[in-house]
Amino acid sequence: MNFRELTQTNEQQAVGQGDAVSQIDTAEKLSAAEAPRMSLFALCWLGIAAIAMLGWISALGWLAWRLANWALF
């Protein structure tokens, strides 16, 4: 590909970027795409991670409470 062909290709791309028809085509292609499905495995994994996170928060709170009781009394 020589310099002249490269220049013409860049000009054609620049013209096509502002074209209203190409934007409509793009929106139609995006709306026709399949919607992502919710995976049961991913949902279970997030549930397990949430339970583990709550467990760590509870453990840290319990330790802080015990430390405060020991320090104050």
Side-chain angles (χ1 to χ4, degrees), residues 21-42:
V21 175
S22 65
Q23 291 175 359
I24 292 171
D25 290 343
T26 303
E28 289 174 358
K29 289 177 186 174
L30 289 176
S31 64
E34 183 179 331
R37 292 178 288 158
M38 182 67 113
S39 171
L40 185 60
F41 178 74

Side-chain angles (χ1 to χ4, degrees), residues 2-24:
N2 62 24
F3 182 71
R4 174 175 270 177
E5 290 175 358
L6 183 61
T7 304
Q8 290 174 350
T9 304
N10 289 340
E11 288 174 358
Q12 290 171 353
Q13 288 177 351
V15 168
Q17 287 177 353
D19 192 10
V21 175
S22 65
Q23 291 175 359
I24 292 171

